[in-house]
Amino acid sequence: MTSVAQSVEELFGVDALLSDEEQGMRDVVRKFVDKRIKPEIADWFERGELPVRELARELGSLGVLGMHLDGYGCAGTSAVSYGLACIELEAGDSGIRSLVSVQGSLAMKAIHAFGSEEQKQEWLPDMASGEVIGCFGLTEPDFGSNPAGMRTNAKRDGDDWILNGTKMWITNGDVAGVAVVWARTDEGVRGFIVPSETSGFTANPIHHKLSLRASVTSELVLDNVRLPAESVLPGVSSLRGPLTCLNEARFGILFGTLGAARDCLESAISYGIDRVQFDKPIASYQLTQKKYADMALEWGKGMLLALHLGRLKDQGVLRPEQVSVGKLNNARAALDIARQCRGILGANGVTLEYPVIRHMNNLESVFTYEGTNEMHTLVVGEALTGIAAYR
Ligand code: TGC
Ligand code: FAD
């Protein structure tokens, strides 16, 4: 396939905004994705299977699992470096970025931010290396956007806790060695570390997805799961716990979506240069060039926004509503770009021979998870007006 004359990154001069270290880290992850993910991903997606355990170890060796956390085997990189890694991983597939997001920004982050020293020592090094896979159970069948309504509960029984409930749509659920499960207690919402072999805990795969097929999604069932006192995360007892972790994962997503969009755009431009209709390449028609230009502008604005938010995070001043601005804008922009690119590929756009429809379908999930388009709109609305309009 013909390569594009100038990438969107070159058009926006992105490298000038990155340090040598950030560029180097980005290039290492890009190389991994080009060699290990891109040749296999269409097949994994088509079969609805991902070699998660194998990949987790490879991603652990690459150093991207919990890379932005400090200590306990984590690399302790800047937030911008983590964001750049998410872009490259999602240029491979949103499912690969999801694996990394859930591991590092949700499961590991929960233990890192709210766990005891013993819990951190016990779990984080093995999770950073990919030896142990984690999942994060917040959503329930009847409570998605509104986790405050959760029914999963934990009651004290002597020194132990007894957990009951069901979690739904849980990434990595049935391959995880450990689940961080959020449950209602008399003391507020608390997080529990549940090893997957615990009696009464089952994880059932969810089948028939047409999006994120190269990602494991599961239902978690907790049926009188008995846990010792030291299983509870001591550092938080309100929804602030899971929502703090969501800020981290949403931050990765606001970068990651740009990777999927970039891959679509590059594919649609090179396709348009090769594809001849009415005796000329379709890329030579003004209507097509307007599509390319408009998409490049949206991509570039999204990238500048992501880098701005990343710099704020590295200064320690990024606020949750600013993360919502990024997730809202960039998930929406990426999905619009993927749909436009799908059209440019014509009939070829509906096959897995090209990455576009795979990214497009994946981005439908990304648009919904980690706070839907509407939830982030309402967060921004609240920030602007002071009026919460969720209920
Ligand atoms: P509200 O009453 O406002 O707050 C409850 C407590 O939480 C605190 N808080 C936050 N803390 C940190 N970060 C934030 N963004 C926070 N937002 C609120 C707040 O201060 C309070 O703390 P405390 O200690 O005073 O009690 O909460 P609410 O019930 O009104 O809800 C607000 C709303 C709607 C924004 C929130 O529920 C929400 O974000 N809903 C969307 C749910 C969601 O995003 N779920 C995602 C599940 S995980 C997932 O999708 C993984 S996908 C796989 C992948 O990432 O690849
Ligand atoms: P609902 O909350 O029922 O929303 C349905 C529609 O109603 C949406 O358009 C929503 O925006 C709209 N809506 C809801 N309330 C309002 C309102 N007040 N005003 C206006 N519109 C409203 N969860 C986890 O906990 N862990 C995971 O690892 C995880 N992984 C996932 C992986 C995949 C592939 C998917 C698809 C989901 C995953 N989720 C996970 C769940 C995800 O976070 C939820 O799907 C998401 O929060 C939305 O919840 P819901 O699907 O129940 O939709």
Side-chain angles (χ1 to χ4, degrees):
M1 244 179 10
T2 308
S3 56
V4 300
Q6 193 177 148
S7 71
V8 276
E9 289 157 305
E10 288 164 336
L11 183 65
F12 279 86
V14 170
D15 278 8
L17 300 175
L18 306 178
S19 68
D20 289 348
E21 196 184 341
E22 287 164 344
Q23 290 180 44
M25 190 284 314
R26 174 199 62 190
D27 293 345
V28 167
V29 180
R30 186 177 292 186
K31 203 166 152 201
F32 171 83
V33 169
D34 285 345
K35 270 183 75 175
R36 179 67 176 110
I37 306 297
K38 288 194 171 174
E40 307 263 15
I41 189 66
D43 187 44
W44 291 336
F45 186 96
E46 188 156 34
R47 288 191 283 120
E49 286 171 14
L50 189 71
V52 186
R53 292 195 176 85
E54 211 179 306
L55 281 177
R57 287 197 185 96
E58 292 173 44
L59 290 162
S61 301
L62 191 65
V64 295
L65 301 178
M67 64 187 274
H68 55 305
L69 303 177
D70 285 321
Y72 310 98
C74 305
T77 68
S78 68
V80 169
S81 290
Y82 172 54
L84 295 171
C86 287
I87 292 181
E88 299 311 322
L89 295 165
E90 197 147 352
D93 193 84
S94 302
I96 306 298
R97 197 268 309 134
S98 260
L99 201 175
V100 171
S101 289
V102 169
Q103 182 83 349
S105 289
L106 293 179
M108 291 174 73
K109 172 70 186 181
I111 297 170
H112 195 271
F114 304 114
S116 65
E117 187 54 35
E118 292 72 28
Q119 289 169 336
K120 292 181 202 181
Q121 301 275 7
E122 179 178 358
W123 294 105
L124 294 177
D126 285 348
M127 294 173 84
S129 69
E131 276 308 307
V132 172
I133 296 171
C135 70
F136 181 91
L138 178 63
T139 304
E140 300 189 355
D142 294 328
F143 297 96
S145 296
N146 179 24
M150 71 173 70
R151 290 202 189 101
T152 298
N153 62 81
K155 295 193 182 351
R156 286 190 189 268
D157 183 35
D159 282 346
D160 293 348
W161 289 91
I162 309 288
L163 266 70
N164 280 288
T166 305
K167 297 291 179 181
M168 194 64 182
W169 302 111
I170 306 307
T171 301
N172 295 346
D174 56 285
V175 291
V178 65
V180 173
V181 173
W182 298 95
R184 176 184 300 290
T185 74
D186 288 344
E187 304 149 19
V189 171
R190 304 210 65 177
F192 292 86
I193 300 180
V194 186
S196 57
E197 68 275 9
T198 311
S199 172
F201 176 87
T202 32
N204 307 307
I206 295 175
H207 296 294
H208 309 303
K209 283 180 299 167
L210 292 178
S211 173
L212 281 182
R213 288 182 56 74
S215 175
V216 169
T217 317
S218 323
E219 172 198 53
L220 308 183
V221 180
L222 299 117
D223 180 12
N224 284 317
V225 170
R226 179 178 288 275
L227 295 171
E230 56 271 21
S231 304
V232 71
L233 297 175
V236 74
S237 55
S238 87
L239 216 49
R240 184 174 63 81
L243 293 179
T244 298
C245 304
L246 294 188
N247 290 336
E248 293 289 307
R250 291 166 177 173
F251 176 81
I253 288 171
L254 75 87
F255 275 85
T257 47
L258 296 164
R262 187 189 75 202
D263 202 46
C264 289
L265 200 41
E266 282 175 0
S267 184
I269 295 173
S270 82
Y271 184 86
I273 294 168
D274 288 343
R275 176 71 178 170
V276 174
Q277 286 294 292
F278 303 97
D279 305 321
K280 288 200 301 195
I282 59 171
S284 68
Y285 294 114
Q286 291 178 354
L287 282 177
T288 312
Q289 291 204 1
K290 176 169 173 18
K291 290 177 193 166
Y292 292 149
D294 286 346
M295 289 190 284
L297 293 189
E298 291 311 312
W299 187 91
K301 287 187 274 182
M303 186 70 195
L304 296 178
L305 173 61
L307 286 173
H308 170 61
L309 297 177
R311 299 294 177 212
L312 291 183
K313 189 163 167 58
D314 280 326
Q315 288 165 31
V317 296
L318 183 66
R319 298 192 304 273
E321 67 268 27
Q322 295 172 323
V323 176
S324 285
V325 167
K327 202 276 182 178
L328 177 62
N329 186 75
N330 288 5
R332 188 160 65 191
L335 184 55
D336 287 346
I337 288 172
R339 287 173 177 159
Q340 280 273 355
C341 290
R342 215 291 307 148
I344 291 173
L345 266 68
N348 279 316
V350 307
T351 80
L352 284 172
E353 297 298 318
Y354 295 86
V356 178
I357 197 163
R358 177 170 51 77
H359 285 307
M360 186 187 93
N361 281 9
N362 286 339
L363 288 166
E364 292 289 349
S365 284
V366 179
F367 192 70
T368 288
Y369 69 31
E370 290 288 358
T372 64
N373 182 65
E374 288 75 14
M375 285 305 107
H376 290 294
T377 302
L378 294 175
V379 171
V380 175
E382 181 182 2
L384 293 172
T385 64
I387 303 168
Y390 314 103
R391 295 177 170 81

